[in-house]
Every structure is written in structure tokens, then in C-alpha cells.
Amino acid sequence: RPVAGVVSLLSVEATVSLVQALGVAGVDAPLWCVTRGAVSVVDGDVVDPHASAVWGLGRVIGLEHPERWGGLIDLPASWDERTSGLLCSVLSGATREDHTAIRGNDVFGCRLSRVTTPGRGQSAAWEASGTALITGGTGALGSHVARWLAGTGVAEIVLTSRRGSDAPGAGELVAELSAMGVSARIAACDVADRDAVAELLGTIPDLRVVVHAAGVSSWGSLSALTAEDLAAGMRPKVMGAIHLDELTRHMSLDAFVLFSSVAGVWGSGRQSAYAAANAFLDGLAWRRRGVGLVATSV
């Protein structure tokens, strides 16, 4: 009989292969990616950033292959007969939702909502101290954050890039920050290399702020994406974030900031690796907050 639907429990890497294989086989049935812990819905949810990355990828699948896209379903930590019934209901299309999470006796749909924030001038200026580390610090985002941090009270700013002081504009940025009264230095570091990150952190005795702005933008359709392309597009953001998270957990940080993207929130065609990596960062921020650690995903 014709395939009526495909339910996948696979990782990001394997899901890419699955999408490609379905295309080659001519299977146009809707694909549903089922995860556990991809999103935070109710109090007590434990988020798995790797599952969050599947949601980032899934959004791109929906954009590039809408004719054979079912949706994303996140399961609760515990499974029972009620959960099974709700899952079948979602898979049948009864909810008409393509972003759902099952919790208890309920199925939740995903929505963007406006956040109420204090009016201009009502919030107190944030004050920092100690040393700030900015990965991808010589890039457009990193340098912008460095200039802003210089006015918050930090004593030193450490900027990392793979090329170190040879990065374009690196010397000028250090000079500019020094003129603002902040000690600044640039360190060559591949944040995807755990040993290199550990060695760098060992040179920062008073680390109080971590900003992860390293990453690469990769383009290409899912049908042509190779495993190497996917790894190259995700490695700096994902592995860098993992290493910074694990190696600073014993430290008392004022801020742990991850530069994500709307690509991970509603997808971006031909940017599957980028979307998956940024959704991972969002998931990591939720996981850190869930255990009482500071985290902000921008």
C-alpha cells in the first residue's frame, strides 16, 4: 500500500539522510519528527538541546518540502496510554498544528507572542565586573558587543577568533576598546576544540561574562546537503556552546549569552545547518535556566 505517513525519531544528522532518501524513493507522505525535551512548555520540563536542534531542522524541511511535511511533536518525559492516544490524534491531523507538544492530558500548539518589557528609561542599566569573554569577538556581532560591554564596568575583554590577531580589524578594535578605558586582548582559539577552550579559560582568572557569537552561515538545499556540510555549519556554534557551558559551570557568572537567530525559530530556507545550530543554542539556554544557571539566547 502507499505510505500514508512517516514518523521519525532520528537525530539531526540522520533526519537529513531520511529526507533525502524519501525524496529519492518518491515518497510524498507527510514526515513527522518526534522528539522528547525539545521545548520548555510546563514547569519542570528538562530541555535536551539536541532535540531542540531537530526542531530547527524540521522548520527548514517544512519550508523546502511543504508538500511532504507533517510537523514536529514533542513528547513528555513519561509515557502512558493517554500520551499514545494524543500522539495518534496529532498524527491524524486532527489538531491542524505542525508544532505541538504533549504534556499530561493536553496538546500544546506553538505560538509567537509579544513580550511586555519595561518602557524606555524604566529599567536600570546593567553593571558588569571582572572579565568578559566574547567568542567570535572580532566579527560584526562580537565587536558590537565588545563596544557595548566597554561601558558596563568590565575590567577586561578577551576576544577570540580562529585567526586571532590576524583577523581583519582586530588591531583597530583593541585600540578602540583601550581608548574607552578597557583592557582588551585577542586570543586565537577554535571554540569547537574543547582543549583549546579549556586552555583559554585557564588564562582568565576573573571570568564573569561569556558571550558566544562565533559561528558560520552556510547555504544549500537539503537535497544536496552532505554530512560534511552539516557538520561544518553546526560545529562552531554547537560545539563551542557545549564546551563553554560545561567548562564554566563551576564559575559564578553574571551573564552567559548565546547569539542565536530567527532561523531557529521559524526556519530559513536553504539554511538547515544554521537553523538547527541556532535552535540548539535556544535549547541550551532553556536547559541552563532549568538548573539555575544564567543564560540568555538572543
Side-chain angles (χ1 to χ4, degrees), residues 5-86:
V6 179
V7 177
S8 168
L9 309 177
L10 299 173
S11 66
V12 165
E13 296 80 6
T15 302
V16 171
S17 297
L18 173 62
V19 171
Q20 294 172 344
L22 291 173
V24 171
V27 176
D28 58 2
L31 168 65
W32 295 87
C33 291
V34 179
T35 58
R36 172 172 282 149
V39 291
S40 178
V41 182
V42 298
D43 291 342
D45 275 354
V46 178
V47 176
D48 175 5
H50 295 282
S52 303
V54 174
W55 275 51
L57 174 65
R59 287 161 178 148
V60 178
I61 299 172
L63 290 172
E64 292 194 26
H65 301 286
E67 72 286 352
R68 49 191 177 97
W69 176 239
L72 297 156
I73 308 172
D74 196 60
L75 300 178
S78 59
W79 179 276
D80 55 25
E81 187 175 345
R82 177 62 176 169
T83 304
S84 178
L86 291 173

Side-chain angles (χ1 to χ4, degrees), residues 19 43 58 89 103 108 117 122 145 149-150 163 169 171 192 233 237 244 249 251 260 263 281 294-295:
V19 171
D43 291 342
S89 177
R103 297 292 188 272
F108 293 84
T117 59
Q122 293 182 2
V145 173
L149 275 172
R163 298 175 58 183
K237 278 183 176 285
L244 291 168
R249 287 201 162 209
M251 301 179 185
S260 181
L281 298 188
V294 293

